[in-house]
Amino acid sequence: GASTNNGEGQAGLCWSCSLMPVKVLDGAGSGDTAAVAAGIVWAADHGARVISMSLGGEGTTQTLADAVEYAAGKGILLVAAAGNSGSASQTYPAAYPQVLSVAGTNESDGLYNWSNHGPWVQLAAPGCNTAPYLSGTYVNFCGTSSATPLVAGLVGLALSAKPGATKAEVEQALR
């Protein structure tokens, strides 16, 4: 969603998309599944068409599963980071079948050794990308949390090009 052609930073994949930031983690990047679930429901109830989640953990709860089901039932495309432990261990919310799970690829389009993988991971995107830093500069940010917003941006771009597209049509186009 970053602006383009302004001579600053980087350009996003869907520069005309509207963003709705929903904070569910604390300043240190920690939180619980109840806060994530509440954020998903809030976004779903306030018009989100895409929910990008650069977060995850190995545990799940019924509250989180219900929130994902609620948003997916409203036709919202959910995208989540697969995790960075370099294993096939499932992380949530990425491992839910209603969520597009994202791994991280390197410059040669191969899987980074730190990226989670396995049959539950549905897509992959570049895992190291330019990102704004707190000091107003830009850094190279790596992880499936960096790959996830690229996929979410593509989803937004697809919906911009074909606003009536269904969740299934967008998922098929990405695959």
Side-chain angles (χ1 to χ4, degrees), residues 22-101:
V22 179
K23 186 172 177 64
V24 298
L25 302 178
D26 65 20
S30 295
D32 58 33
T33 57
V36 174
I40 291 169
V41 170
W42 191 92
D45 287 343
H46 287 85
R49 294 196 65 200
V50 181
I51 297 177
S52 179
M53 298 172 282
S54 289
L55 51 77
E58 291 186 8
T60 186
T61 63
Q62 190 61 51
T63 301
L64 183 59
D66 290 345
V68 166
E69 183 66 34
Y70 175 74
K74 293 184 94 168
I76 297 169
L77 285 121
L78 296 102
V79 184
N84 303 320
S85 64
S87 74
S89 297
Q90 293 182 338
T91 60
Y92 294 88
Y96 291 122
Q98 306 93 326
V99 177
L100 291 169
S101 51

Side-chain angles (χ1 to χ4, degrees), residues 103-115 124-129 140-144 147 150:
T105 60
N106 61 29
E107 301 84 9
S108 301
D109 205 26
L111 190 67
Y112 267 112
N113 62 354
W114 45 254
S115 180
C128 289
N129 303 288
N140 196 34
F141 175 60
C142 297
T144 59
L150 291 176

